[in-house]
Amino acid sequence: MSALDPEARQELKSLPKAQAEDVGKHLAAAGMLIDEDPELALEHARIARGKASRVAVVREAAGLAAYHAGEWAEALSDLRAVRRMTGSNAHIAVMADCERALGRPERALELAKEARELSPSTAVELRIVAAGARRDMGQVDAAVVALQGPDLDPKRKDPWSARLFYAYADNLEAAGRKDEAIRWFLNAAQADDEEETDAAERAVELGAALQ
């Protein structure tokens, strides 16, 4: 239990103490394993869900573990349950991405249209997913437009700037606008302090292809 954040511990207090301890251990294990071994993380999350399926934080952990493990339908089911339980749209971008992965880009766009009261980071993630859905449907120019906005500014360095700039560059390349794509891959690399993307490499490769 001590490995969980205070909010999760508080939610688990609705369970009998021994059950809360047991579920908490599986949630903590899922959280620690989700990046390095998502399949094992999902096993732990499923056990927790089996013991406490009516606790939102448990369903949230199960949904995110399923998403990381590529179990799109399962992830969507759990995250829909969380949304019903809490009224929160915190995972709407993940839900939309699951719809895309299941071959339903139209549903991803429907989720994007109906979403309200999003944090700035979630709103950006949802725009990126919506652009991907447009591209899935062959609407490449619309995908480019979907990513445009005041925060698409190379002078800005928000926590999500690198991902936004990268997605924009990727869609510009798909639209055949190679010179602009190189510029935005370079902007993404400049904003990517955590080196989460291969933006610099993409810029170099694209530049070499144009020579």
Side-chain angles (χ1 to χ4, degrees), residues 104-116:
R104 302 188 298 235
E106 297 90 348
R107 290 197 193 178
L109 292 174
E110 285 170 15
L111 277 175
K113 284 177 187 172
E114 71 185 40
R116 298 288 183 274

Side-chain angles (χ1 to χ4, degrees), residues 149-197:
D151 49 1
L152 193 70
D153 179 349
K155 298 188 188 69
R156 292 181 64 154
K157 209 169 185 182
D158 298 312
W160 50 83
S161 292
R163 282 182 50 71
L164 177 61
F165 298 170
Y166 186 96
Y168 191 57
D170 190 52
N171 281 286
L172 284 169
E173 182 181 1
R177 295 160 64 177
K178 302 292 196 326
D179 289 333
E180 290 173 85
I182 291 171
R183 188 165 75 248
W184 280 100
F185 276 129
L186 292 173
N187 289 338
Q190 188 70 28
D192 192 5
D193 292 335
E194 304 298 319
E195 297 185 359
E196 294 176 332
T197 73

Side-chain angles (χ1 to χ4, degrees), residues 113-128:
K113 284 177 187 172
E114 71 185 40
R116 298 288 183 274
E117 298 180 18
L118 305 180
S119 70
S121 59
T122 300
V124 168
E125 287 297 328
L126 189 55
R127 273 165 60 204
I128 292 172

Side-chain angles (χ1 to χ4, degrees), residues 63-141:
L64 293 176
Y67 177 74
H68 278 79
E71 297 290 345
W72 316 118
E74 184 177 350
L76 194 54
S77 175
D78 280 316
L79 294 176
R80 278 178 180 153
V82 174
R83 196 181 184 202
R84 285 195 303 271
M85 290 172 174
T86 65
S88 169
N89 279 320
H91 299 299
I92 194 80
V94 177
M95 292 168 64
D97 205 31
C98 288
E99 294 285 14
R100 273 191 70 203
L102 290 166
R104 302 188 298 235
E106 297 90 348
R107 290 197 193 178
L109 292 174
E110 285 170 15
L111 277 175
K113 284 177 187 172
E114 71 185 40
R116 298 288 183 274
E117 298 180 18
L118 305 180
S119 70
S121 59
T122 300
V124 168
E125 287 297 328
L126 189 55
R127 273 165 60 204
I128 292 172
V129 174
R134 292 284 182 199
R135 191 159 151 187
D136 293 342
M137 297 163 70
Q139 301 172 4
V140 183
D141 290 333

